[in-house]
Amino acid sequence: MKNFVNAKALVDHAKAGKYAVAHFNINNLEWTRSLLEAAQETNSGIILGVSEGAVKYMGGYNVVANLVKSLIEDLKITVPIVLHLDHGQSYESCAKALAAGFSSVMFDGSHLSFKENLEITKKVVALAKKYHASVEAEAGSVGGEEDGVIGLGEVANPKECQDLAKLGIDILAAGINNVHGPYPSGWKGLDFKILAKIAQASNKPLVLHGGSGIPKDQVLKAISLGISKVNVNTELQEVFAAEIRNYIISNKDQEKKGYDPRSIMKNPSLAIKNKAIELLKEFGSFGRS
């Protein structure tokens, strides 16, 4: 069974090549299969992100890791795949993910004092090294809410970013006025001045959380300034839900055996795959594996 790769080589290559690796959150089997097929068909290495809430929903860390590994084997996926804990809220959650076979973890200490964030991130880095896994840390918080993790959209402090980078992390998520979930009306856009300062201070591949809904020109500019990983979840959820809504409203579940979950999930799964391919082209990672 093919093992996952960690994210370091992917994001380092993206940083050097001025493109971004796609981080797609997964929520079930269909989600995962659609994204793996999109990656293989476009020859793009991707990062499959799993939040703590999604881990709980899917049945646990071991269930998630074994599901993804089995799909990689049976679908004959040959492009690099990273299995990443997204917004891990504690050292313990990162440890559970690593023990289950995740190849990358994010410790999100943005809800703590910066001193505590540094202390726990340092411990996570030391543990991850034993597993040859990559580590993402966060400075500042991302606006909006994801699985109960609420951020006010702070702009990160470049000095704090530099201090986190010195711990030996592989990727840095820094608040640049980005938001989880749909962007509110009146949103002022990404703060490119602070992004440039953070890129210089940290010299690490940077992450754009809340990648769904940001205007394409802003995403491309962010990539040119050092963003090497773009996280997408909401956009996939929206196209998935729209196809299910259309299926039910059209009463297709009442036709013959339309209630069969395989029938219900067919178009939503295809919608995820098509959206992922569209975004892989946008981020510049199409064909870069």
Side-chain angles (χ1 to χ4, degrees):
M1 185 177 288
K2 181 178 177 180
N3 292 322
F4 306 117
V5 300
N6 70 36
K8 180 173 171 52
L10 282 182
V11 294
D12 284 352
H13 192 267
K15 183 174 185 288
K18 297 287 185 181
Y19 68 95
V21 178
H23 162 130
F24 296 122
N25 284 77
I26 59 174
N27 294 282
N28 58 26
L29 182 149
E30 289 82 5
W31 220 280
T32 309
R33 177 175 181 169
S34 296
L35 293 171
L36 289 173
E37 289 176 345
Q40 185 69 21
E41 289 179 21
T42 61
N43 192 31
S44 304
I46 62 171
I47 297 169
L48 296 179
V50 195
S51 66
E52 289 187 24
V55 167
K56 185 176 180 181
Y57 173 78
M58 293 172 73
Y61 292 97
N62 289 310
V63 173
V64 174
N66 287 317
L67 168 68
V68 182
K69 283 180 182 177
S70 297
L71 283 170
I72 288 173
E73 182 176 24
D74 288 350
L75 295 175
K76 296 180 171 54
I77 304 299
T78 58
V79 295
I81 302 296
V82 179
L83 184 60
H84 176 77
L85 176 64
D86 190 25
H87 288 286
Q89 294 293 292
S90 66
Y91 174 84
E92 290 73 23
S93 60
C94 291
K96 289 177 182 177
L98 291 167
F102 282 54
S103 59
S104 185
V105 293
M106 175 189 185
F107 172 64
D108 179 359
S110 62
H111 57 292
L112 304 171
S113 70
F114 186 64
K115 181 181 178 182
E116 290 175 296
N117 188 357
L118 276 177
E119 289 174 352
I120 300 176
T121 299
K122 186 175 181 180
K123 287 177 60 181
V124 171
V125 168
L127 180 63
K129 283 184 178 178
K130 297 178 181 179
Y131 290 92
H132 306 289
S134 49
V135 176
E136 177 181 337
E138 180 163 345
S141 65
V142 178
E145 179 178 353
E146 182 173 33
D147 277 341
V149 181
I150 299 173
L152 300 176
E154 297 173 11
V155 174
N157 182 319
K159 177 62 169 65
E160 292 184 355
C161 292
Q162 188 176 56
D163 290 344
L164 277 169
K166 289 178 180 177
L167 297 178
I169 63 171
D170 303 289
I171 328 168
L172 177 66
I176 55 171
N177 204 35
N178 41 327
V179 176
H180 285 131
Y183 279 76
S185 59
W187 177 63
K188 295 180 180 179
L190 300 178
D191 189 330
F192 295 112
K193 288 184 179 179
I194 197 70
L195 173 56
K197 291 179 181 177
I198 290 167
Q200 183 176 17
S202 67
N203 195 30
K204 291 287 181 181
L206 302 177
V207 186
L208 181 61
H209 279 256
S212 299
I214 298 175
K216 183 176 179 179
D217 63 322
Q218 292 199 35
V219 173
L220 294 178
K221 185 172 181 179
I223 291 171
S224 75
L225 292 172
I227 291 293
S228 306
K229 172 177 177 276
V230 180
N231 288 26
V232 175
N233 188 17
T234 302
E235 250 177 299
L236 300 181
Q237 291 179 337
E238 288 174 341
V239 296
F240 182 82
E243 288 296 337
I244 290 180
R245 175 181 290 274
N246 182 60
Y247 189 89
I248 300 300
I249 289 176
S250 301
N251 293 317
K252 291 181 180 178
D253 58 315
Q254 304 296 319
E255 299 172 6
K256 297 182 180 179
K257 289 189 176 182
Y259 50 79
D260 188 324
R262 289 171 292 183
S263 298
I264 296 171
M265 299 295 271
K266 182 178 179 180
N267 285 341
S269 299
L270 183 59
I272 288 175
K273 182 177 177 179
N274 290 338
K275 175 57 71 173
I277 291 173
E278 175 190 322
L279 292 169
L280 288 167
K281 291 178 180 176
E282 180 180 323
F283 301 159
S285 66
F286 195 107
R288 302 297 286 265
S289 287

